[in-house]
Amino acid sequence: MNIDETVVESIVKKVLSQLDAPQTQDCCACGGEWGVFKSMDEAVNAAVLAQQEYLGRSMHDRAKYVQAIRDVVLDQENLEYISRKAVEETGMGGYEYKLIKNRLAATKTPGIEDLTTDAMTGDDGLTLVEYSPFGVIGAITPTTNPTETIICNSIGMLAAGNAVVFSPHPRAKEVSLHLVRLINKALAVAGAPANLVVTVSEPSIANTNAMMNHPKIRMLVATGGPGIVKTVLSSGKKAIGAGAGNPPVVVDETADVEKAAKDIVDGCSFDNNLPCIAEKEIIAVDSVADYLIFNMKKHGAYEVKDPAVINKLVSLVTKEGKSPVTDFVGKSAKYILEQVGISVGDDVKVILMEATEDHPFVQVELMMPILPLVRVPDVDQAIEMAVRVEHGNRHTAMMHSRNVEKLTKMAKLIQTTIFVKNGPSYAGIGVGGEGYTTFTIAGPTGEGLTSAKSFARRRRCVLVGGMDVR
């Protein structure tokens, strides 16, 4: 490190230490406390002013601000705190998984490089087609992935030139507000306009409705269940909906069964099955089903065979077999088994049982590490069942097979946003698989794995005559 860099680093550390000191309500423009406002109207108006100023900043500036968000999240103390706090506040998932997911969101969410330019030249001149901001985006975040969603949406939305108003889930209020403040402090040090990322001090349904109906919100992005997605799609505004899934995993007779077993247990148990991409039910060809179960038990699956215990689990974790009981969403396999009188070690990661297609555990997305297995005579019937139980969510599906023809068939028929072949579900968002990450996966509205370009408008700029040098 040379002398100039040392001086700069010293100044930055000094400013950061000052920012960490207790602040008053006037530490940001418009009365907000580092992006946190008392009312939704104040938050939106502050974001509008910020975005207007942001329009005058360069792409280099945008890149600098995006890097500031990455850096503040990746600070080890901050990373550990928000990961631990998310588990403590929501009661969902596991600390070690939150660390992975928050780090993933900070490192593998695309920035300004995602905003590619198309150019057309000819005798009539030059035409550019570029990605430009919408303005102020209203973003609804879930209790299942509260910090991960704020991180990846902040990076993508600011990279595209927008400001963002977050409406966090009330059960993730404290960690969400803490993260918004951290981001604002980092942006301030980087020289960004104040209030590019804002929220309200008391997240609620009323505040979410106020945000969605606010005339200055130009775009809505909802990450959550089918209800909130339906609501934003009915708003009359440009909307991106990242809804629920019920991802099936098919295992056929050509699969590497030993690897498939480990991949399925790892994917299903990741953050206690909170990610909507995680394996929710297995459909296995009968000839390999027993060997698959045998190998899954070697890797942390606990098989429940007693129908009475299975029925007790259904009554415990679902509401009449139609929807999950919130108190069990994101809980560990060990915890759930304890509630039905079964004691197991920490090595147990998944609760496994055999079921029929119409069983609630097959039909309902539980978001907990309970994994039913349905036997079928052949791979074609497995694929057909997978399409049915995915319920047309077009979210995620997995298949373990060496048969390229059948892999292709399932990919075409199931039409999911993510289709993982011969790997755990999380490979689909860049954990051990190629590609960028996001925690806003828009199946219902078709954007797929959202990134900066998802939050931008396509604009055409035409220069008539000249500039064609061919």
Side-chain angles (χ1 to χ4, degrees):
M1 179 177 290
N2 60 40
I3 295 175
D4 290 342
E5 289 174 332
T6 303
V7 171
V8 170
E9 184 179 53
S10 174
I11 293 171
V12 169
K13 285 183 176 179
K14 183 177 179 180
V15 174
L16 280 172
S17 66
Q18 293 170 345
L19 291 174
D20 284 335
Q23 302 292 332
T24 68
Q25 287 286 13
D26 296 324
C27 60
C28 274
C30 305
E33 181 198 359
W34 295 116
V36 179
F37 292 80
K38 290 183 178 179
S39 75
M40 185 57 74
D41 192 57
E42 288 177 321
V44 173
N45 286 330
V48 168
L49 292 175
Q51 202 273 331
Q52 290 172 350
E53 183 179 349
Y54 196 26
L55 287 172
R57 302 297 172 91
S58 67
M59 295 301 290
H60 175 78
D61 289 333
R62 287 195 206 176
K64 182 170 63 173
Y65 306 152
V66 164
Q67 189 60 47
I69 297 173
R70 299 190 201 276
D71 290 344
V72 77
V73 172
L74 292 172
D75 174 88
Q76 194 63 27
E77 184 177 348
N78 292 336
L79 184 64
E80 291 176 2
Y81 178 82
I82 63 174
S83 300
R84 182 174 62 254
K85 183 67 175 177
V87 176
E88 292 173 352
E89 186 176 8
T90 67
M92 298 178 178
Y95 168 69
E96 67 276 20
Y97 298 111
K98 299 294 188 188
L99 279 174
I100 295 170
K101 291 161 66 180
N102 286 318
R103 186 181 291 112
L104 182 72
T107 56
K108 295 193 74 172
T109 299
I112 66 166
E113 71 279 1
D114 196 49
L115 306 173
T116 54
T117 298
D118 293 331
M120 295 162 277
T121 62
D123 294 341
D124 292 326
L126 167 69
T127 293
L128 298 177
V129 180
E130 295 192 304
Y131 289 96
S132 292
F134 269 91
V136 178
I137 298 176
I140 301 164
T141 62
T143 186
T144 50
N145 299 297
T147 53
E148 304 93 321
T149 307
I150 289 175
I151 294 164
C152 72
N153 281 353
S154 293
I155 290 172
M157 292 171 184
L158 265 63
N162 305 287
V164 54
V165 180
F166 281 112
S167 182
H169 196 285
R171 288 199 294 121
K173 166 189 164 182
E174 296 301 330
V175 72
S176 299
L177 268 57
H178 178 80
L179 179 55
V180 167
R181 292 185 180 109
L182 280 180
I183 289 172
N184 275 278
K185 292 176 183 180
L187 289 173
V189 172
N195 301 316
L196 285 175
V197 178
V198 300
T199 188
V200 289
S201 56
E202 294 297 332
S204 64
I205 294 174
N207 272 320
T208 297
N209 289 333
M211 182 193 72
M212 290 192 294
N213 294 321
H214 202 289
K216 294 179 181 178
I217 295 289
R218 305 301 299 270
M219 180 187 201
L220 294 170
V221 178
T223 310
I228 192 63
V229 170
K230 182 178 180 181
T231 301
V232 299
L233 294 182
S234 304
S235 67
K237 298 182 180 183
K238 167 66 177 176
I240 292 177
N246 192 40
V249 51
V250 167
V251 183
D252 77 6
E253 69 281 3
T254 72
D256 180 341
V257 176
E258 293 91 342
K259 181 179 183 298
K262 184 179 187 304
D263 286 345
I264 292 169
V265 171
D266 288 348
C268 174
S269 62
F270 189 80
D271 207 18
N272 292 338
N273 203 248
L274 277 180
C276 288
I277 62 166
E279 292 84 347
K280 300 295 192 281
E281 61 277 335
I282 305 168
I283 305 166
V285 172
D286 186 61
S287 61
V288 298
D290 289 333
Y291 192 48
L292 179 66
I293 293 170
F294 171 77
N295 280 279
M296 288 182 67
K297 289 162 73 172
K298 287 169 56 178
H299 292 289
Y302 180 90
E303 186 181 12
V304 177
K305 293 184 177 181
D306 187 344
V309 176
I310 295 173
N311 289 336
K312 190 183 291 187
L313 281 169
V314 172
S315 299
L316 181 71
V317 305
T318 72
K319 300 172 184 176
E320 300 180 347
K322 296 179 181 178
S323 62
V325 173
T326 303
D327 287 345
F328 290 94
V329 171
K331 291 296 193 294
S332 69
K334 180 180 179 180
Y335 174 85
I336 296 169
L337 286 170
E338 285 174 349
Q339 309 314 303
V340 293
I342 299 174
S343 296
V344 296
D346 293 335
D347 58 322
V348 169
K349 299 189 288 185
V350 168
I351 303 168
L352 176 68
M353 75 284 295
E354 293 198 45
T356 56
E357 181 181 350
D358 61 353
H359 195 276
F361 287 167
V362 177
Q363 294 293 324
V364 177
E365 183 187 32
L366 298 175
M367 290 187 291
M368 57 189 83
I370 293 177
L371 194 57
L373 181 148
V374 184
R375 294 174 183 257
V376 289
D378 58 60
V379 65
D380 292 306
Q381 291 187 53
I383 292 171
E384 291 166 8
M385 186 182 294
V387 172
R388 292 193 298 270
V389 302
E390 203 272 332
H391 301 313
N393 290 313
R394 295 191 169 192
H395 200 291
T396 301
M398 283 64 62
M399 185 173 182
H400 294 268
S401 173
R402 292 189 180 98
N403 188 325
V404 174
E405 179 186 348
K406 299 305 181 184
L407 286 165
T408 303
K409 177 180 179 179
M410 182 166 170
K412 286 185 175 181
L413 290 180
I414 203 157
Q415 287 291 305
T416 49
T417 301
I418 296 174
F419 182 53
V420 178
K421 302 182 287 292
N422 299 321
S425 53
Y426 49 70
I429 57 169
V431 183
E434 291 295 328
Y436 67 88
T437 197
T438 185
F439 288 87
T440 297
I441 300 167
T445 50
E447 289 80 7
L449 278 76
T450 56
S451 60
K453 66 177 59 174
S454 307
F455 310 123
R457 300 160 52 225
R458 295 269 287 174
R459 296 177 60 200
R460 176 179 285 198
C461 183
V462 180
L463 174 65
V464 178
M467 296 302 294
D468 177 13
V469 298
R470 287 175 292 181

